[in-house]
Every structure is written in structure tokens, then in C-alpha cells.
Amino acid sequence: MTTPRFIDRVEEQSIPLSKILLDPNNPRLIGLEGYEGVPESRATEENVQINTLNRLNDYRAFDQESLRSSIEKSSLLPIDRIVVRPVKDLGGENVFIVVEGNRRIAACKTLMQQHLNGEKTLDPHVLESIENPSVLVLAQPDAAEARLDQWVIQGIRHISGIRPWGAYQAAKTIEAMITKLGYTEGDVAGALSISVQRVRRSMRVLGALQQMSETEYYGEFAGPETYTYFDEALKRPAVRSWLGWSNEQMAFDEDEKLEQFYIWITPDDELDGRRRIPVAEGIRKLDSVLKDSAALDVLNQPGNTIDDALRVVAPQTPPDWTEPLQRAIKALDTVPISDLENMSDENLELITKLITLGERRKKQATTFKA
């Protein structure tokens, strides 16, 4: 088992909150509403920091309000350690960028703003805990190497731990550990407490995404959102086979079919920018469509969706409805007199519904026979 390389390069320090900067390239933020991060050299810029704080506070899924409420009541507890790394700001001053704990630092900065402008009056103990938080400093002078350490630290905590990441962010961490740090699949699985099968599937999905990124017309759409489509596609044997997936090549080899697939999962002008398969879970509906040429033709027409295609799928053998109907008739025929004398309104309504539906179906059948 490979020992995490950062273990001997962290030390505890108390650092002024004003010297701790948010990480605008945190994996949680990448892919959020199209956000792709900023160059490392711009991470310390004031406007970048303001936008990062706003992005964290505005996105409801981060639940920053609950986190701020917890800190306001109990202070910033040192149990769950914040990790930072040293950098130079644009003026050459020593500052620190968050490696782990972006949400907590964002909550502290917001609480401090609210205290200073009079929106809140924080308890002195709370104020003391956030003004100079105790953090772990990751001593890695090289920015690129520090970023790799950051992926590993965050991956250990968020792939199988607290507040799990999305599938794309988790896969990129797995990829970095294998391709940049030389971890084996077993090492990654052990470090992140996940299965080797999940490690392999993540790498395969990234391979499919990389293949899409290299195309002229669809490469711009190869990102976090389309990752989930490929994840679903590779889980389904029928779809995987139809596209010609190769584990050895980590790519699909049915080029014409693959282009059709790209069209289905990217914006369609005839649908006002929506996708023919609107959500990744819709890939699960493809099995029956791929077997039906008429349904496939419908899906390949601009402006149509997966649900439109399903409507023309050849119907399966209809269920036998006569047997349960005969059971219902027999049940009504054997209702005891005592139950009829004391029948509840609910049961009367049930019989009424049966009669009404029976009359409707009888009328429909007579119309079709005419």
C-alpha cells in the first residue's frame, strides 16, 4: 500500500482568517453551472475570491446557511481539520489557499462580514475561533505538486466520506492518483475506501469522455454533465455493446452509432437547447429503443426525445386482464349480507368506481367493434 506522500509535510498553525483564501478550483465547484475554474496564477485575485465566496453561498446544495448556524452556535471546532497550503498573493505577501475545508472557511468569512457590518453580534468565543483558526499547513512549495496532494486529501475525505463529491469530481481524483502519482488500482481503492471495480469503471468512463473531447463538433460538451451519460451507458450491456465498447482501447469503435449517441446527449436546437435524452437516467430507456428500428428512427429526428421514441416501440404481449376481472366478479358475488348492511362509504365508493370503469370500457369496446 502506498503511503500518502503528504503525511510528513503538514504542521499545525494558527493563521489569521484574512490570510486564508478560498480555493476557486475546488473540485466541488468545477462543472457547477458551466464553471471551469481559473488559472492558478489568478486564484488570489480579490474579485476571484469574492466570486468564489458568492458561488459557495448561493448554491443551495452546499447548505452554507446550516454550516454558518452550526459555527455560530458552537464555534469553529478543531475536530475536523482544515488544511491549507502557502502561496504568494499578487503583492508578494504570504497567504494560504484552502486545500480542505473550503465550505468552512467560506462560512467563517461570511460570519465575520456579518459581525463587522452589524448584521450579527458573535459570541467572543465564536469570534476567537474564526479570527485565527487552527489549521494544518501543507508544506509543498511547488504549485502543481501541491495540487496533486490536494486531490488526494480531498479524495480521501469526499469520495467515500463526508458530503460525497459528484461522480466526475471523484473520477478526476482517481485519475490523478493513478496517472500523476503512480498509485495502482488497489492503492487507490484502499486509500479511498472504494472497490477496485469502481476505480476501473471511473477510468473507463473518463476514457469515453476523452474520446468525445477529441471530436470536432462535440468536444466542447465533454464535461461533468456528459460524464454521467457515459457512466450510465457503460453500466448497460445492450448500450455498451451497441456502441462497441472496448476495455482494452478504453473507447467505443462503432463510429456512426457513437455520433448518433453524441447527438442524443448534447443540446438540440429543435428542442430549444434541451437534449433528446434530457437526463442521464434516460439512458436506461435505450435498451428497448435500440432493438426497434422505427423507434430508433424517431430518436434520430431533430426535435424528438427518448419518450417520443418509446411511444413507437413495438408493444409487448398485453397482460391477461380477464382473470383478475373474474376474481373481482366472484368477490362481489360472495359479499356477506352483514357486510352489505354495514358497508362503509369507502367500500361503496370502490364498487362505484368498478361499475363506472366497467361501463366506460364497455362503451369503448362497442365503439371499436362498430
Side-chain angles (χ1 to χ4, degrees), residues 153-172:
I153 292 170
Q154 293 173 329
I156 290 171
R157 288 178 51 78
H158 295 289
I159 289 182
S160 60
I162 60 171
R163 298 188 69 85
W165 280 343
Y168 175 79
Q169 289 82 1
K172 293 300 288 184

Side-chain angles (χ1 to χ4, degrees), residues 5-6 9 138 140 145-153:
R5 59 189 201 155
F6 53 81
R9 292 203 303 274
L138 175 62
Q140 174 54 271
E145 293 295 308
R147 176 61 66 182
L148 291 176
D149 285 340
Q150 179 169 353
W151 278 99
V152 176
I153 292 170

Side-chain angles (χ1 to χ4, degrees), residues 2-154:
T2 300
T3 301
R5 59 189 201 155
F6 53 81
I7 289 297
D8 59 352
R9 292 203 303 274
V10 292
E11 63 174 334
E12 183 176 356
Q13 293 184 31
S14 291
I15 297 174
L17 182 62
S18 60
K19 294 287 187 180
I20 301 177
L21 306 183
L22 298 169
D23 178 19
N25 296 314
N26 183 279
R28 282 194 186 279
L29 298 175
I30 302 302
L32 185 64
E33 298 177 346
Y35 179 67
E36 294 299 331
V38 301
E40 187 76 22
S41 60
R42 299 192 59 194
T44 64
E45 291 180 15
E46 183 178 2
N47 285 339
V48 170
Q49 287 294 307
I50 291 172
N51 287 337
T52 303
L53 181 59
N54 290 339
R55 191 169 279 112
L56 284 164
N57 283 336
D58 293 345
Y59 194 60
R60 186 173 299 178
F62 291 146
D63 197 18
Q64 288 296 105
E65 186 174 350
S66 295
L67 182 55
R68 289 195 299 270
S69 177
S70 174
I71 294 174
E72 185 178 0
K73 292 175 182 176
S74 306
S75 75
L76 181 63
L77 300 176
I79 299 172
D80 206 9
R81 305 311 295 269
I82 292 169
V83 184
V84 300
R85 59 184 175 88
V87 296
K88 297 282 187 181
D89 66 13
L90 296 180
E93 295 292 325
N94 293 322
V95 292
F96 300 83
I97 283 186
V98 175
V99 169
E100 171 56 32
N102 231 28
R103 293 179 59 247
R104 281 168 287 159
I105 291 299
C108 290
K109 286 181 176 291
T110 302
L111 284 172
M112 183 63 75
Q113 288 176 357
Q114 292 172 335
H115 176 80
L116 294 176
N117 65 25
E119 289 182 52
K120 292 181 179 293
T121 299
L122 299 178
D123 182 277
H125 294 292
V126 173
L127 197 57
E128 182 180 0
S129 75
I130 68 176
E131 280 183 319
N132 291 279
S134 176
V135 301
L136 295 178
V137 178
L138 175 62
Q140 174 54 271
D142 183 81
E145 293 295 308
R147 176 61 66 182
L148 291 176
D149 285 340
Q150 179 169 353
W151 278 99
V152 176
I153 292 170
Q154 293 173 329

Side-chain angles (χ1 to χ4, degrees), residues 324-343:
L325 183 58
Q326 289 171 351
R327 290 200 301 268
I329 293 172
K330 184 176 181 180
L332 285 174
D333 193 42
T334 57
V335 175
I337 296 295
S338 58
D339 284 0
L340 293 173
E341 292 175 342
N342 301 288
M343 186 164 289

Side-chain angles (χ1 to χ4, degrees), residues 172-343:
K172 293 300 288 184
T173 296
I174 291 169
E175 180 186 48
M177 293 175 72
I178 291 175
T179 62
K180 304 292 186 181
L181 302 181
Y183 278 50
T184 66
E185 292 176 344
D187 288 340
V188 174
L192 304 180
S193 298
I194 59 177
S195 67
V196 172
Q197 287 74 21
R198 181 177 175 186
V199 173
R200 290 173 180 166
R201 190 177 79 241
S202 296
M203 293 299 289
R204 288 167 185 164
V205 178
L206 286 176
L209 198 65
Q210 177 65 27
Q211 185 179 8
M212 183 184 191
S213 74
E214 294 170 355
T215 62
E216 181 179 356
Y217 297 109
Y218 307 102
E220 64 179 298
F221 301 108
E225 192 167 356
T226 43
Y227 177 96
T228 56
Y229 282 89
F230 287 112
D231 192 26
E232 288 289 343
L234 289 177
K235 287 177 184 176
R236 306 200 66 79
V239 179
R240 193 170 64 230
S241 175
W242 187 78
L243 291 170
W245 174 256
S246 167
N247 282 338
E248 291 72 27
Q249 300 298 320
M250 297 284 276
F252 300 106
D253 58 24
E254 291 284 353
D255 293 341
E256 291 185 8
K257 293 177 179 178
L258 184 58
E259 183 166 1
Q260 292 179 49
F261 186 78
Y262 289 161
I263 291 172
W264 301 339
I265 66 173
T266 53
D268 185 335
D269 290 340
E270 296 297 321
L271 291 170
D272 297 324
R274 291 178 289 117
R275 294 166 169 80
R276 298 187 196 182
I277 302 180
V279 295
E281 289 77 8
I283 299 296
R284 301 169 192 175
K285 302 176 182 179
L286 268 180
D287 289 18
S288 55
V289 172
L290 297 179
K291 298 174 185 176
D292 191 302
S293 59
L296 202 52
D297 287 342
V298 169
L299 187 55
N300 279 324
Q301 292 298 314
N304 289 337
T305 67
I306 184 70
D307 289 330
D308 294 323
L310 286 172
R311 293 188 185 99
V312 301
V313 170
Q316 304 298 313
T317 304
D320 180 10
W321 55 271
T322 58
E323 185 177 342
L325 183 58
Q326 289 171 351
R327 290 200 301 268
I329 293 172
K330 184 176 181 180
L332 285 174
D333 193 42
T334 57
V335 175
I337 296 295
S338 58
D339 284 0
L340 293 173
E341 292 175 342
N342 301 288
M343 186 164 289

